[in-house]
C-alpha cells in the first residue's frame, strides 16, 4: 500500500511539469525552428543530470564554425554584424536582433534557455533602464543556438537614454553536468538608428531618404555628387571618451546598396606607404592579412610608397592627392607631395611642413595632417609645440608653391573654416564670418554653406521652458548678404546634425533618429 501511495504522489508531481512542456511546445512562432520563451514563463531548475531536451524538429541549418578555436565556454555573436562578439557591451538597433551562440561543449538546452531568462530578469531588477525582451530560441545542434530578441514597438520607447538587455548563459549546464560560471556576456544597448533626411530651405517640405536598420553614429557625404555616405559605428560602448575601434560601411544613395569594409576608412590617411586612395573620398591601409577580402572598386588607387604618411587629402575636384610624408617616428618638418592622379606626375616640397605634428589633447598620439581645398588654395597646419601655436601653410593653385597662410584666427586656436562657393565669404568657428578681410558677424560661427548661394545652415539649441523639459534644437538659415537668420525647422532632437546640402542649394541633409513629420509640397 505504501508503495502504491508513493507512486501516486510521484505521478501527481509530474503533471505540472508535463503541462509546462506542452505549453512551451505549443508556443511556436511562424519562424521555422524558433520557440518563443515568454519573459514571465517559469522553467524548472535544471538538475545535474540532463533534463529532457526541447524537440529537435524544424531545426535551422547549422552555421559552419570552428568549435576547436573556442577558448571560452561560449561565444555570442550578433548575426547582422559578426564582428560584434562576446564579451562586449555595444550598441544595437531597437529592431528585432538575432544572435548565434556557439558552445564549446554539448549543452543541456533547457538549462541554457533558463539561464538566459534568469540573467535578464536579474538585470531588470538591478538596472532602471533595462528593457523586458522576448526571446525566441532555435537550436541548430546541442552546441549551436540561435536567439531572436525583440523589445517591443520601438516607437513606444523614449527617444533618449539607454535601453539595455543582456545575453548571459552563466549557470547553464553541459550534457555532462558541468555548470558554466562567469560565461562571457553580450550586453546590448538598444538605440533607434539614425536616418538621413532632407529638409527644403523654405521649411515646407521634408523627406526621409534612408531606412537603416543599424545604429550608425556618424554619417558623412563623400565628394560633391550627393551619392555616397560614409557610415561608422563603434564596436564597443561606454559613457566615456574612449576612442574604440569602429566598423565602417559605404552607402550608395542611388542604388540603395550598403558596402561593408573590413578595414578602417579614413578621411586623412596615416600609416605606412602601402595604402589605397578611393576618389569617392576616403583612404585605407593595405591589410597585413592577405586573406582579408576588400570590396571591388573602380575608384580605388593603390600606392606603395617608401615614405611614412602622416596625413592625406584630395583636391576639391578629386584630381590631385596631397600627402604629408616623412620617416616613421618622425615628429616634425614633413615633406609635401602633390600628385596628379590621372598622369602620376607629382611635386615634392622637402620639409615644407615645418613644425611639429599636432598631438591629440586626450592622448599622446599624433593627429593626421588634414588638407582643405577652397578652390583657390589648399590649407594645412603644423604646430609650434613650445609656443603652443599653429604654423599655417597654403598651396596656391595659381602659383603651385607653398607659402605662409594668415587667417584671422588667434594662433593658439584651431584655424578651420568653410567658404561660400565663390569664395566671397569665409566662416571661421574660432573667429566668425568674414567677407575677405572684413568681419561681418561674430554671433554665428559654424554652419554648412548652400551651394551656389551666400547662405549657410546651422543648428541652435532651443531655450528650455523648465529644467525638466527635454532639450531640443532648431535648424536655421543665415543669409550673409542680408546678415539675417531665419528658422526653418524646430523641436529637433539633440542628436540631429547637418550632413550637407544639395548641389542645387535647395535642400539641407540632416541625420537624426527622430521620426520627423513627412511634409511634401
Amino acid at each position: 500500500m505504501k508503495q502504491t501511495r508513493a507512486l501516486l504522489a510521484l505521478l501527481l508531481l509530474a503533471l505540472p511539469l508535463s503541462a509546462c512542456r506542452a505549453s512551451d511546445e505549443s508556443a511556436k512562432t511562424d519562424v521555422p525552428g524558433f520557440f518563443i520563451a515568454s519573459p514571465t514563463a517559469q522553467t524548472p531548475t535544471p538538475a545535474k543530470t540532463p533534463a529532457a531536451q526541447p524537440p529537435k524538429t524544424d531545426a535551422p541549418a547549422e552555421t559552419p564554425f570552428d568549435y576547436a578555436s573556442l577558448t571560452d565556454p561560449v561565444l555570442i555573436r550578433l548575426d547582422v554584424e559578426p564582428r560584434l562578439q562576446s564579451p562586449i557591451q555595444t550598441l544595437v538597433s531597437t529592431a528585432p536582433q538575432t544572435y548565434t551562440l556557439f558552445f564549446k561543449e554539448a549543452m543541456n538546452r533547457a538549462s541554457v534557455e533558463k539561464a538566459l531568462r534568469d540573467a535578464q530578469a536579474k538585470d531588470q531588477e538591478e538596472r532602471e533602464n533595462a528593457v523586458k525582451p522576448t526571446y525566441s530560441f532555435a537550436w541548430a545542434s546541442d552546441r549551436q543556438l540561435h536567439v531572436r530578441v525583440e523589445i517591443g514597438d520601438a516607437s513606444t520607447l523614449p527617444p533618449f537614454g539607454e535601453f539595455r538587455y543582456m545575453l548571459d548563459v552563466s549557470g547553464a549546464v553541459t550534457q555532462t553536468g558541468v555548470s558554466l560560471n562567469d560565461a562571457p556576456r553580450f550586453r546590448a544597448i538598444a538605440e533607434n538608428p539614425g536616418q538621413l533626411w532632407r529638409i527644403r530651405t523654405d521649411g515646407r517640405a521634408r523627406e526621409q531618404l534612408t531606412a537603416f536598420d543599424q545604429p550608425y553614429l556618424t554619417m558623412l557625404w563623400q565628394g560633391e555628387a550627393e551619392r555616397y555616405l560614409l557610415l561608422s559605428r563603434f564596436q564597443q560602448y561606454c559613457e566615456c571618451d574612449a576612442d574604440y575601434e569602429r566598423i565602417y560601411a559605404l552607402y550608395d544613395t542611388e542604388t540603395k546598396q550598403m558596402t561593408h569594409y573590413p578595414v578602417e576608412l579614413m578621411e586623412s590617411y596615416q600609416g605606412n606607404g602601402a595604402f589605397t586612395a578611393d576618389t569617392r573620398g576616403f583612404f585605407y591601409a593595405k591589410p597585413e592579412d592577405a586573406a582579408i577580402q576588400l570590396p571591388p572598386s573602380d575608384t580605388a588607387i593603390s600606392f606603395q610608397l617608401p615614405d611614412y604618411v602622416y596625413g592625406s587629402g584630395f583636391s576639391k575636384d578629386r584630381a590631385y592627392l596631397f600627402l604629408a610624408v616623412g620617416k616613421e617616428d618622425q615628429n616634425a618638418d614633413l615633406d609635401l607631395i602633390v600628385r596628379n592622379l590621372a598622369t602620376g606626375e607629382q611635386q615634392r616640397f622637402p620639409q615644407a611642413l615645418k613644425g611639429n605634428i599636432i598631438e591629440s589633447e586626450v592622448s599622446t598620439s599624433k593627429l593626421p595632417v588634414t588638407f582643405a581645398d577652397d578652390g583657390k588654395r589648399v590649407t594645412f597646419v603644423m604646430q609650434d609645440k613650445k609656443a603652443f601655436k599653429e604654423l599655417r601653410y597654403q598651396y596656391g593653385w595659381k602659383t603651385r608653391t607653398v607659402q605662409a597662410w594668415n587667417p584671422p584666427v588667434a594662433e593658439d586656436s584651431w584655424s578651420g573654416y568653410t567658404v561660400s562657393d565663390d569664395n566671397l565669404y569665409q566662416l571661421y568657428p574660432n573667429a566668425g564670418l568674414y567677407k575677405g578681410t572684413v568681419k561681418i558677424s561674430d554671433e554665428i560661427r559654424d554652419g554648412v554653406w548652400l551651394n551656389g548661394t551666400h547662405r549657410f545652415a546651422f543648428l541652435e539649441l532651443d531655450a528650455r521652458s523648465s529644467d525638466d523639459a527635454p532639450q531640443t534644437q532648431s535648424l536655421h538659415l543665415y543669409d550673409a548678404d542680408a546678415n539675417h537668420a531665419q528658422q526653418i525647422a524646430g523641436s529637433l532632437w539633440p542628436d540631429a546634425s547637418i550632413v550637407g546640402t544639395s548641389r542645387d542649394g535647395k535642400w539641407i541633409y540632416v541625420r537624426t533618429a527622430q521620426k520627423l513629420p513627412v511634409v511634401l509640397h
Side-chain angles (χ1 to χ4, degrees):
M1 180 63 70
K2 291 182 179 179
Q3 291 179 347
T4 302
R5 288 177 180 173
L7 181 58
L8 286 172
L10 287 172
L11 288 172
L12 289 171
L13 286 171
L15 282 175
L17 294 177
S18 300
C20 181
R21 287 195 197 99
S23 175
D24 288 344
E25 291 176 10
S26 64
K28 293 183 180 179
T29 70
D30 56 356
V31 182
F34 278 98
F35 297 84
I36 289 184
S38 167
T40 58
Q42 298 297 315
T43 304
T45 303
K48 288 187 177 181
T49 55
Q53 302 295 297
K56 299 183 180 181
T57 58
D58 299 326
E62 187 166 4
T63 302
F65 185 77
D66 180 14
Y67 291 95
S69 66
L70 286 176
T71 56
D72 291 315
V74 65
L75 183 143
I76 305 172
R77 189 172 76 183
L78 180 64
D79 287 349
V80 73
E81 181 46 77
R83 285 174 286 184
L84 299 180
Q85 303 177 357
S86 61
I88 196 172
Q89 177 172 271
T90 188
L91 289 175
V92 301
S93 171
T94 50
Q97 301 293 307
T98 57
Y99 301 83
T100 301
L101 283 65
F102 303 95
F103 293 94
K104 195 171 185 178
E105 298 184 36
M107 298 300 298
N108 178 305
R109 298 184 180 189
S111 74
V112 172
E113 295 175 15
K114 181 179 185 301
L116 287 165
R117 289 192 295 265
D118 288 351
Q120 180 59 32
K122 183 179 179 182
D123 200 46
Q124 286 171 222
E125 292 177 0
E126 297 176 350
R127 296 178 183 271
E128 183 180 346
N129 52 7
V131 294
K132 190 175 183 179
T134 297
Y135 295 121
S136 304
F137 302 118
W139 287 90
S141 72
D142 290 334
R143 298 178 69 181
Q144 187 175 122
L145 170 62
H146 300 276
V147 180
R148 178 182 171 91
V149 182
E150 298 184 57
I151 62 173
D153 183 2
S155 65
T156 64
L157 296 175
F160 306 113
E162 299 174 357
F163 310 100
R164 301 171 179 263
Y165 61 86
M166 179 174 63
L167 297 176
D168 182 6
V169 297
S170 296
V173 181
T174 69
Q175 289 190 5
T176 59
V178 177
S179 178
L180 305 188
N181 298 316
D182 296 324
R185 301 170 178 173
F186 194 112
R187 288 190 175 275
I189 313 298
E191 179 176 280
N192 289 310
Q195 306 297 342
L196 181 69
W197 291 75
R198 67 174 189 169
I199 300 175
R200 204 163 64 195
T201 53
D202 61 6
R204 298 179 60 187
R206 62 187 66 175
E207 181 182 3
Q208 183 175 335
L209 302 179
T210 61
F212 297 136
D213 60 358
Q214 295 303 309
Y216 293 102
L217 295 181
T218 60
M219 196 177 289
L220 302 170
W221 277 121
Q222 295 304 301
E224 298 182 345
E226 302 173 38
R227 178 170 179 177
Y228 298 102
L229 279 176
L230 179 61
L231 307 174
S232 71
R233 61 188 290 189
F234 287 110
Q235 290 196 27
Q236 299 187 63
Y237 172 86
C238 74
E239 295 179 348
C240 61
D241 294 328
D243 189 18
Y244 289 125
E245 290 186 8
R246 298 185 182 220
I247 292 172
Y248 295 86
L250 193 70
Y251 181 73
D252 188 330
T253 59
E254 287 187 9
T255 65
K256 311 298 182 186
Q257 297 262 332
M258 182 81 76
T259 303
H260 297 275
Y261 278 78
V263 293
E264 179 185 3
L265 302 185
M266 294 168 262
E267 290 189 278
S268 180
Y269 176 74
Q270 189 175 42
N272 63 43
F275 69 97
T276 295
D278 193 305
T279 55
R280 287 174 294 183
F282 55 90
F283 305 84
Y284 54 86
K286 180 182 178 180
E288 294 182 3
D289 185 352
I292 294 178
Q293 297 294 316
L294 290 163
S297 172
D298 57 5
T299 56
I301 305 170
S302 295
F303 291 88
Q304 187 71 51
L305 304 180
D307 307 281
Y308 191 89
V309 181
Y310 286 95
S312 64
F314 292 105
S315 60
K316 197 172 183 180
D317 59 6
R318 297 290 191 268
Y320 288 83
L321 176 65
F322 287 77
L323 298 170
V325 302
K327 296 179 180 179
E328 192 169 359
D329 296 327
Q330 187 170 328
N331 295 312
D333 302 339
L334 303 175
D335 293 0
L336 173 67
I337 293 177
V338 182
R339 185 183 181 95
N340 185 316
L341 293 174
T343 65
E345 297 177 355
Q346 69 178 39
Q347 291 178 284
R348 185 166 186 139
F349 301 88
Q351 297 188 353
L353 286 79
K354 293 189 179 297
N356 303 104
I357 300 171
I358 298 176
E359 294 182 352
S360 169
E361 293 184 1
V362 296
S363 69
T364 58
S365 61
K366 298 183 181 71
L367 296 178
V369 178
T370 59
F371 298 88
D373 181 7
D374 64 15
K376 289 186 175 180
R377 65 183 72 84
V378 178
T379 59
F380 41 96
V381 300
M382 298 290 278
Q383 186 183 58
D384 183 332
K385 197 171 182 179
K386 291 183 179 179
F388 197 73
K389 66 179 184 179
E390 284 191 344
L391 301 175
R392 298 156 177 170
Y393 304 98
Q394 62 179 338
Y395 173 87
W397 285 114
K398 286 186 177 180
T399 63
R400 303 283 172 160
T401 60
V402 177
Q403 299 175 342
W405 173 51
N406 299 298
V409 182
E411 292 181 332
D412 61 353
S413 299
W414 177 59
S415 57
Y417 72 108
T418 58
V419 299
S420 58
D421 268 358
D422 58 3
N423 253 288
L424 185 64
Y425 292 96
Q426 304 83 39
L427 183 62
Y428 299 90
N430 284 316
L433 178 65
Y434 277 75
K435 186 177 183 179
T437 58
V438 179
K439 191 168 190 175
I440 303 299
S441 173
D442 196 39
E443 294 183 6
I444 304 169
R445 296 190 169 202
D446 197 13
V448 179
W449 291 93
L450 273 67
N451 293 318
T453 76
H454 292 156
R455 299 187 296 169
F456 61 82
F458 67 96
L459 289 163
E460 187 173 63
L461 290 176
D462 298 326
R464 299 169 69 175
S465 57
S466 68
D467 291 341
D468 297 331
Q471 181 67 69
T472 59
Q473 55 182 340
S474 51
L475 178 64
H476 300 258
L477 271 185
Y478 180 87
D479 188 322
D481 292 332
N483 194 16
H484 174 72
Q486 68 179 69
Q487 179 178 318
I488 62 172
S491 300
L492 301 176
W493 287 358
D495 77 323
S497 60
I498 300 174
V499 177
T501 63
S502 63
R503 296 189 71 182
D504 60 10
K506 296 180 179 179
W507 297 89
I508 302 163
Y509 297 110
V510 174
R511 181 263 183 212
T512 181
Q514 182 179 4
K515 187 68 175 177
L516 301 175
V518 175
V519 182
L520 297 174
H521 288 297

